[in-house]
């Protein structure tokens, strides 16, 4: 007889701190360690339940009085770029994509610093040094890739220059865009949108059904752009559903809108460990 035992990680909750997306609110995260031989299977299973990876941690928002953050993913087979997105593809036709192992470089860090200083100077990552950046890229217990995009400035024939980067996890059902950054001087080229569009093409070529975008937050200007993508699903009330009309969603702010932590953890579906002989 063969038996299986479920992977049983320990879950914890962070202390409340100011929300980076909505003024006047506080955020709290439910998280667990991602380590050991079952790390990849745990990442696959929890990503389908609204969790995200940061280095060797999986987390999901669990704010005491708010349910605004909604995990979002694109159905690759159903996606068709709109007119604006087709223009974005044409504007960035000069970019070349290269997929590398998760290894940090000085060029990546220099681009990362320019991006933060221009776009997120007051954000939580603003003080990251090169060692913390290297940890963000390299400390991954799952299958990850760094997708680099380079261009020749001004259309010249000179050496290519790193223009955009995305740290990407390869899940069993899709690509998870962990973190991306790009050249702030090319803001008019909508590089953030282009990176997502290109990941849809990568997923399609790999036969993967989804591209996971992280969290969409109704009412947040920082996260509003994700609702511009067709075939978008959100994880809400324990299930994936078509986003429908974005304006129909709002983050509830009431003490009873969030279930107790124990109930949240009890509903998490964990993968089973490898079979045990018996």
């Amino acid at each position: 007889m063969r038996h299986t035992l479920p992977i049983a990680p320990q879950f914890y909750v962070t202390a409340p701190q100011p929300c980076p997306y909505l003024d006047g609110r506080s955020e709290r995260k439910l998280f667990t360690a991602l380590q050991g031989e079952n790390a990849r299977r745990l990442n696959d299973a929890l990503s389908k339940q609204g969790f995200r990876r940061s280095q060797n941690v999986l987390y999901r928002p669990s704010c005491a009085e708010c349910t605004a953050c909604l995990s979002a993913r694109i159905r690759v087979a159903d996606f068709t770029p709109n007119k604006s997105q087709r223009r974005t593809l044409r504007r960035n036709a000069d970019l070349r994509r290269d997929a590398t192992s998760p290894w940090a470089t000085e060029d990546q860090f220099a681009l990362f610093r320019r991006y933060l200083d221009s776009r997120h100077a007051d954000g939580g990552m603003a003080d990251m040094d090169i060692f913390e950046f290297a940890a963000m890229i390299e400390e991954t217990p799952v299958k990850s890739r760094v997708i680099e995009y380079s261009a020749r400035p001004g259309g010249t024939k000179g050496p290519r220059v790193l223009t955009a980067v995305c740290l990407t996890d390869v899940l069993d059902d899709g690509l998870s865009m962990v973190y991306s950054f790009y050249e702030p001087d090319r803001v008019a080229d909508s590089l953030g949108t282009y990176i997502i569009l290109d990941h849809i093409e990568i997923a399609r070529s790999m036969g993967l059904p989804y591209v996971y975008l992280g969290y969409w937050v109704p009412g947040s200007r920082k996260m509003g752009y994700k609702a511009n993508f067709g075939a978008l699903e959100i994880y809400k009330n324990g299930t994936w559903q078509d986003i429908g009309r974005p304006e129909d969603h709002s983050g509830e702010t009431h003490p009873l809108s969030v279930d107790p932590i124990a109930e949240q953890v009890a509903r998490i579906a964990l993968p089973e460990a490898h079979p045990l002989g018996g």
Side-chain angles (χ1 to χ4, degrees), residues 223-246:
M223 294 297 190
Y225 70 93
K226 295 178 183 180
N228 296 328
F229 287 85
L232 190 73
E233 296 181 345
I234 55 173
Y235 190 75
K236 188 173 184 180
N237 299 323
T239 186
W240 288 98
Q241 56 189 267
D242 192 274
I243 189 173
R245 298 198 317 163

Side-chain angles (χ1 to χ4, degrees), residues 23-35:
D23 292 338
R25 304 193 193 184
S26 61
E27 71 165 358
R28 188 179 66 176
K29 294 185 177 74
L30 178 68
F31 71 96
T32 188
L34 186 62
Q35 58 191 359

Side-chain angles (χ1 to χ4, degrees), residues 176-194:
S176 177
M177 299 176 64
V178 177
Y179 190 77
S180 61
F181 52 96
Y182 46 85
E183 180 56 64
D185 289 344
R186 288 184 55 158
V187 63
D189 293 335
S190 303
L191 288 171
T193 294
Y194 175 79

Side-chain angles (χ1 to χ4, degrees), residues 19 49 52 63 75 91-92 126 129 148 178 194 199 207 211 232 239:
C19 177
Q49 299 170 74
R52 296 283 291 168
C63 304
R75 295 189 307 274
R91 278 198 302 269
N92 294 286
D129 60 26
E148 296 185 338
V178 177
Y194 175 79
H199 273 66
V211 172
L232 190 73
T239 186

Side-chain angles (χ1 to χ4, degrees), residues 9-252:
Q10 296 295 310
F11 288 87
Y12 307 89
V13 181
T14 62
Q17 55 186 329
C19 177
Y21 305 122
L22 298 172
D23 292 338
R25 304 193 193 184
S26 61
E27 71 165 358
R28 188 179 66 176
K29 294 185 177 74
L30 178 68
F31 71 96
T32 188
L34 186 62
Q35 58 191 359
E37 62 179 10
N38 290 310
R40 183 172 178 181
R41 297 171 66 238
L42 185 64
N43 190 38
D44 288 340
L46 267 60
S47 293
K48 297 175 182 130
Q49 299 170 74
F51 280 79
R52 296 283 291 168
R53 183 182 72 83
S54 177
Q55 294 173 236
N56 59 354
V57 169
L58 285 171
Y59 69 91
R60 187 173 72 183
S62 181
C63 304
E65 300 181 357
C66 178
T67 58
C69 293
L70 301 168
S71 189
R73 70 184 186 185
I74 295 170
R75 295 189 307 274
V76 171
D78 297 332
F79 176 79
T80 301
N82 59 31
K83 184 176 180 180
S84 174
Q85 291 162 350
R86 290 195 296 272
R87 286 198 299 268
T88 295
L89 289 169
R90 290 194 295 269
R91 278 198 302 269
N92 294 286
D94 62 317
L95 292 178
R96 186 184 74 187
R97 177 214 306 150
D98 294 289
T100 70
S101 299
W103 187 257
T105 67
E106 291 185 2
D107 284 347
Q108 291 171 8
F109 181 67
L111 177 61
F112 175 73
R113 286 300 339 162
R114 291 198 301 276
Y115 172 79
L116 286 185
D117 292 344
S118 175
R119 302 292 297 271
H120 303 287
D122 57 348
M125 305 173 76
D127 296 328
M128 283 182 66
D129 60 26
I130 192 168
F131 301 105
E132 293 167 320
F133 173 78
M136 180 181 75
I137 298 294
E138 298 173 10
E139 290 185 9
T140 169
V142 299
K143 185 177 181 181
S144 302
R145 295 291 183 268
V146 172
I147 313 297
E148 296 185 338
Y149 300 89
S150 59
R152 289 191 172 96
T156 66
K157 295 184 178 180
R160 287 188 168 272
V161 175
L162 186 65
T163 305
V165 176
C166 186
L167 175 62
T168 304
D169 286 351
V170 183
L171 308 177
D172 62 356
D173 72 340
L175 301 177
S176 177
M177 299 176 64
V178 177
Y179 190 77
S180 61
F181 52 96
Y182 46 85
E183 180 56 64
D185 289 344
R186 288 184 55 158
V187 63
D189 293 335
S190 303
L191 288 171
T193 294
Y194 175 79
I195 296 170
I196 295 174
L197 294 171
D198 190 61
H199 273 66
I200 294 171
E201 289 308 307
I202 297 172
R204 181 174 283 124
S205 70
M206 297 175 66
L208 295 171
Y210 301 109
V211 172
Y212 289 81
L213 302 182
Y215 296 108
W216 173 63
V217 186
S220 169
R221 187 173 56 85
K222 291 181 181 179
M223 294 297 190
Y225 70 93
K226 295 178 183 180
N228 296 328
F229 287 85
L232 190 73
E233 296 181 345
I234 55 173
Y235 190 75
K236 188 173 184 180
N237 299 323
T239 186
W240 288 98
Q241 56 189 267
D242 192 274
I243 189 173
R245 298 198 317 163
E247 58 268 25
D248 290 341
H249 301 279
S250 62
E252 292 186 51

